[in-house]
Amino acid sequence: MATGYNVNANGIRQHLIHHRGPHGAPQLLLVPGITSPAITWGFVGVELAKRFDVHILDVRGRGLSQAGDLDYTLDAMADDVIALARRMNRPVVLGHSMGARIAVRAAGKSSEPIAGVILVDPPVSGPNRRPYPAQWAWYGDSIRMAEQGCTADDMARFCPSWTEEQRALRAEWLHTCQWGAIRQAFDGFSTDDIHADMARLTLPARLVIAGGATVILPEDADEISRLMPQIEIRRVEGAGHMIPWDDLQGLLDAVLDFSA
């Protein structure tokens, strides 16, 4: 059974959802992407809890974590993860998309409380690099629609391949993604240099690539391997950027055997 809880970490209220794993299982702190409240990853958390003790974070400005007039930079979000990891038992940090960038920055800043990182299709954009392939309108327009109230059918034009249940959950929770927080995080995709963080990261690591997307190209994977020689690389062939929504078993096969 999943249970939600709140803690004060890095000076703000952080909300997480706990999917209890087997006795003595390694802890896993799951950091979702830019507009994915923790509850929308519940179907993944249930499966990951067969191997890990799973805690899914509502990133600040999203879901039930503190929002409002806060710092939404990558550094602030990374400091949240560091503070939470220090309260836990050296978790593996699994981040998807923006969450993977957060994991990289957190582990690069303070690796001691983190056992290892699993980076699921992180945007590799940054200063003087090719832009992140997604457009702002996809995020901004859907959030504005959700703020007014919307249905699963309304969400279909943004997520046409998702099931009705998945679209309904997104329609229910997307309004909790504070517009300004999302805008600042999206802009950070072009200004934050996560490759410099990668060069400092010596923890056990795995990169999971969405084989049906263009977020990470072969040359990007090669560069990451040069920066992080210890990294393992797995591909989920045919899956788009939102990997578990396209191929849940593919994601599980790519991450469940990770050990740190």
Side-chain angles (χ1 to χ4, degrees), residues 4-15:
Y5 67 98
N6 294 282
V7 298
N8 189 286
N10 194 29
I12 69 167
R13 176 178 48 78
Q14 313 270 358
H15 177 262

Side-chain angles (χ1 to χ4, degrees), residues 2-75:
T3 55
Y5 67 98
N6 294 282
V7 298
N8 189 286
N10 194 29
I12 69 167
R13 176 178 48 78
Q14 313 270 358
H15 177 262
L16 301 97
I17 298 177
H18 182 203
H19 294 264
R20 191 174 302 278
H23 178 72
Q27 290 191 318
L28 185 143
L29 176 59
L30 196 160
V31 187
I34 188 168
T35 55
S36 294
I39 195 168
T40 65
W41 275 76
F43 73 106
V44 186
V46 167
E47 297 299 324
L48 291 175
K50 295 174 181 177
R51 163 78 171 83
F52 297 99
D53 189 54
V54 180
H55 300 254
I56 308 177
L57 174 64
D58 271 327
V59 178
R60 58 170 60 202
R62 300 151 177 87
L64 299 181
S65 283
Q66 190 167 332
D69 185 18
L70 298 176
D71 182 353
Y72 295 105
T73 60
L74 182 61
D75 277 326

Side-chain angles (χ1 to χ4, degrees), residues 41-247:
W41 275 76
F43 73 106
V44 186
V46 167
E47 297 299 324
L48 291 175
K50 295 174 181 177
R51 163 78 171 83
F52 297 99
D53 189 54
V54 180
H55 300 254
I56 308 177
L57 174 64
D58 271 327
V59 178
R60 58 170 60 202
R62 300 151 177 87
L64 299 181
S65 283
Q66 190 167 332
D69 185 18
L70 298 176
D71 182 353
Y72 295 105
T73 60
L74 182 61
D75 277 326
M77 295 185 289
D79 287 343
D80 290 344
V81 165
I82 293 168
L84 289 166
R86 285 177 175 151
R87 298 177 67 100
M88 299 171 68
N89 183 24
R90 292 198 74 235
V92 171
V93 179
L94 184 157
H96 170 250
S97 192
M98 180 196 75
R101 291 170 66 91
I102 295 171
V104 168
R105 176 61 54 91
K109 292 178 74 171
S110 182
S111 63
E112 179 271 329
I114 298 170
V117 293
I118 303 174
L119 311 176
V120 181
D121 222 38
V124 290
S125 49
N128 302 312
R129 293 181 176 272
R130 62 184 177 84
Y132 179 51
Q135 301 299 308
W136 166 249
W138 190 89
Y139 302 99
D141 291 354
S142 61
I143 293 170
R144 291 304 192 206
M145 180 181 71
E147 288 173 344
Q148 300 303 311
C150 65
T151 67
D153 288 342
D154 296 327
M155 198 58 68
R157 68 187 177 97
F158 295 96
C159 309
S161 67
W162 292 20
T163 68
E164 182 176 5
E165 182 180 7
Q166 291 166 346
R167 296 196 312 271
L169 194 61
R170 186 166 178 83
E172 180 183 2
W173 283 90
L174 185 60
H175 75 92
T176 69
C177 296
Q178 184 171 301
W179 197 93
I182 308 309
R183 180 77 233 198
Q184 187 171 1
F186 182 86
D187 290 346
F189 286 170
S190 61
T191 59
D192 294 312
D193 182 6
I194 64 164
H195 293 80
D197 300 298
M198 289 178 178
R200 294 191 291 270
L201 206 159
T202 58
L203 292 171
R206 180 172 293 177
L207 174 67
V208 180
I209 299 172
T214 59
V215 175
I216 298 182
L217 300 176
E219 57 266 33
D220 301 319
D222 289 344
E223 181 178 14
I224 292 170
S225 292
R226 290 194 298 272
L227 292 170
M228 299 170 61
Q230 81 280 18
I231 201 163
E232 304 169 330
I233 297 181
R234 302 286 179 86
R235 292 176 61 86
V236 183
E237 298 294 349
H241 180 59
M242 302 296 285
I243 295 176
W245 282 259
D246 288 344
D247 186 354

